Amino acid sequence: MDKFVIRGGNPLVGTVRISGAKNSALPCIAAAILTEDDIVLENIPLVRDMDTERRLLESMGAAVQRPEANAQHLMTISCRSLSDPVARYEIVKTMRASSLVLGPLVARTGMARVAMPGGCAIGGRPIDLHLKGLEKMGAAITQEHGYIEARAERLRGAHIVFDKITVTGTEDLLMAAVMAEGETLMENCAREPEVCDLAALLNAMGAKIEGAGTSTIRVHGVTSLHGAHYRINPDRIEAGTFLIAGAITGGDLIVANCDPAHLGAVIAKLQEAGARVDVLGGDSVRVRGGGKLQGADISTEEYPGFPTDMQAQYMALATQAEGVSLVTENIFENRFMHVQELVRMGANIKVDAKTATVRGPARLSSAAVMCSDLRASASLVLAALVAEGETVIDRVYHMDRGYEHIEQKLSSVGAQIQRLGNLFAPREQAAYMAD
Ligand code: UD1
């Protein structure tokens, strides 16, 4: 398995370019199921989750071109023939967002069989709200042998009020609703920018969606959708991770090609903690560390609140801040897997239920540590960048799910990071865990 070897102590200086958003690309690729025409997506991040979704769609009969490693990062998807509308357990267990194919498959083919996702490193993560919504739209749902089967000759518009805000649930039902008969009104929707990305693609395909980005979305069903070319927005979590990298190392980093409007909560918190953060023009943010960091509390919330996907990285920063920082995780139970590893590196963190108390600044020292999930691995990399000595981080396949060429980007701005092993070696696919 690949490892990172990181020698800490270098301030990061220079410019890094942010890739396309993994969590936008995932639903946008699934949206291709809704049409017989080609969907061309630009700015696809070169991360492992894209490979996983490509394999998922190919297993159903779609033709998917690998994204090219050129400036455009294009992926072309053709779902002309979908001979086998099944998402098999072998793929679903490695990537829980596979359940995003449920809504579009029922809408397009009248039936879907999707393996039930099991437990994962960051909690139970059920999909009951996706199923409840589909049932309201007239689908018959059955569960057998670990698979969910949904059938409907044609879905019909419905009034759906989400019991709880769910990002992929909102996206899944949006894709189900666009070709349903009549109007669908969805309330208590997720307002994440990734939902807006998906809605913009669907509208470019001929859908009629209003209100994406607010908690109420209205969809007027159409009978068919056509091809489209769409550019995926920048990844706000990758951008936020680099902002923290700049701040924690006392560097001077320009995070380019991002959307600062999507980073409001993260920027505000970094400023509160004492980092100097400036939005430069349209798509860049400059972060300068070097001064004293002070403790500041975070509490994860749905967008536009502080993202749960930035909680682990923020905790690494909090270990270097003076005083106490309370880190409260409200979205997922069990999303503190990084804590024990940070503690092994010398951090002072105590967890009580959903709140971690971080006392700093702690002198971090190198240790052999292990990634447990995607964002936990980012927090270990950040900690290693300021730890004394050489930290060896194992199981970086988690990181490869969602960060494009992270070691190249980090070393281009002065980090001492080396990958041991062979990226995307086939033997790793089997060992690859969900989160
Ligand atoms: C998405 C993101 C993930 C992010 C999360 C929260 C993608 C591919 N993944 O995950 O990176 O951490 O949003 O911002 O976009 N829930 C239910 N029933 C459901 C669905 C969800 O109880 O049917 C619960 C979950 O257990 C969790 C909460 O709702 O406690 C939010 O989950 P959700 O927004 O659905 O997360 P994902 O869409 O899986």
Side-chain angles (χ1 to χ4, degrees):
M1 274 184 233
D2 283 11
K3 295 179 174 57
F4 281 153
V5 180
I6 298 177
R7 179 164 283 280
N10 290 16
L12 301 191
V13 178
T15 301
V16 274
R17 280 181 68 76
I18 297 307
S19 301
K22 166 183 93 74
N23 285 355
S24 288
L26 288 170
C28 287
I29 294 169
I33 291 172
L34 290 162
T35 176
E36 291 190 1
D37 296 344
D38 285 2
I39 295 295
V40 182
L41 298 174
E42 209 178 301
N43 206 26
I44 292 284
L46 303 181
V47 299
R48 201 195 294 251
D49 271 11
M50 298 300 111
D51 274 345
T52 308
E53 196 165 18
R54 179 175 55 77
R55 283 191 291 121
L56 177 65
L57 264 64
E58 283 175 348
S59 75
M60 298 173 185
V64 187
Q65 232 172 42
R66 273 169 196 272
E68 290 161 14
N70 57 18
Q72 284 190 310
H73 286 195
L74 286 186
M75 182 187 246
T76 304
I77 309 141
S78 167
C79 293
R80 194 151 299 124
S81 69
L82 280 178
S83 45
D84 197 13
V86 181
R88 291 191 171 71
Y89 182 61
E90 291 64 40
I91 295 184
V92 175
K93 75 176 180 195
T94 68
M95 189 181 73
R96 309 176 54 79
S98 305
S99 49
L100 278 167
V101 299
L102 191 57
L105 276 180
V106 187
R108 166 82 186 276
T109 71
M111 103 96 163
R113 279 190 80 223
V114 174
M116 286 163 73
C120 75
I122 63 172
R125 295 183 86 170
I127 57 164
D128 55 314
L129 301 175
H130 304 225
L131 302 179
K132 201 170 158 188
L134 281 173
E135 259 177 344
K136 269 213 126 173
M137 296 172 81
I141 311 268
T142 51
Q143 291 185 14
E144 225 175 26
H145 309 302
Y147 278 77
I148 290 156
E149 192 168 298
R151 284 178 183 273
E153 218 157 88
R154 185 172 179 201
L155 293 167
R156 45 172 203 273
H159 183 189
I160 294 162
V161 183
F162 288 99
D163 295 333
K164 189 172 183 178
I165 297 175
T166 156
V167 179
T168 50
T170 301
E171 293 164 347
D172 199 10
L173 296 186
L174 192 54
M175 291 188 274
V178 284
M179 292 211 294
E181 196 176 343
E183 187 175 287
T184 301
L185 177 65
M186 305 203 298
E187 293 186 86
N188 201 26
C189 296
R191 294 180 288 161
E192 268 66 1
E194 294 76 25
V195 174
C196 299
D197 240 356
L198 171 66
L201 167 65
L202 291 169
N203 280 342
M205 292 165 69
K208 292 195 164 65
I209 302 167
E210 290 160 25
T214 75
S215 56
T216 303
I217 301 181
R218 201 176 283 275
V219 185
H220 304 269
V222 297
T223 48
S224 68
L225 295 176
H226 51 74
H229 183 131
Y230 184 75
R231 183 175 169 84
I232 304 290
N233 277 318
D235 195 308
R236 65 192 166 98
I237 305 301
E238 187 197 12
T241 303
F242 276 105
L243 287 177
I244 291 188
I248 199 172
T249 60
D252 183 353
L253 203 57
I254 294 179
V255 176
N257 195 38
C258 66
D259 189 341
H262 295 160
L263 290 162
V266 173
I267 290 176
K269 203 45 79 173
L270 283 174
Q271 287 169 334
E272 192 182 327
R276 206 165 143 198
V277 188
D278 298 294
V279 175
L280 309 175
D283 70 353
S284 297
V285 181
R286 181 177 183 186
V287 60
R288 278 172 280 185
K292 236 186 195 166
L293 292 168
Q294 67 236 9
D297 302 343
I298 61 159
S299 184
T300 63
E301 305 288 348
E302 292 88 1
Y303 189 83
F306 193 94
T308 173
D309 286 352
M310 285 298 302
Q311 179 257 106
Q313 300 90 313
Y314 182 82
M315 198 182 288
L317 182 85
T319 67
Q320 299 307 295
E322 188 97 34
V324 174
S325 306
L326 298 181
V327 174
T328 304
E329 173 56 53
N330 291 309
I331 308 295
F332 292 112
E333 82 258 29
N334 201 22
R335 199 173 195 177
F336 282 139
M337 306 287 281
H338 41 286
V339 169
Q340 284 318 312
E341 299 301 279
L342 291 173
V343 167
R344 295 186 59 242
M345 293 175 73
N348 180 347
I349 309 172
K350 298 260 173 326
V351 176
D352 182 13
K354 60 183 191 168
T355 298
T357 304
V358 186
R359 288 192 166 79
R363 192 179 69 85
L364 299 184
S365 64
S366 59
V369 288
M370 208 184 284
C371 305
S372 55
D373 63 73
L374 171 57
R375 307 304 170 185
S377 47
S379 92
L380 297 181
V381 167
L382 292 167
L385 289 174
V386 290
E388 279 174 30
E390 204 170 73
T391 301
V392 179
I393 303 182
D394 202 352
R395 300 198 174 172
V396 299
Y397 54 85
H398 288 293
M399 189 110 194
D400 293 332
R401 290 189 48 201
Y403 287 91
E404 176 175 324
H405 298 153
I406 183 76
E407 73 272 31
Q408 289 171 22
K409 290 191 187 188
L410 282 171
S411 53
S412 76
V413 289
Q416 288 192 56
I417 174 168
Q418 209 192 336
R419 179 186 289 267
L420 298 183
N422 182 11
L423 180 62
F424 296 164
R427 67 198 150 80
E428 281 187 13
Q429 303 273 0
Y432 179 38
M433 273 167 51
D435 62 24

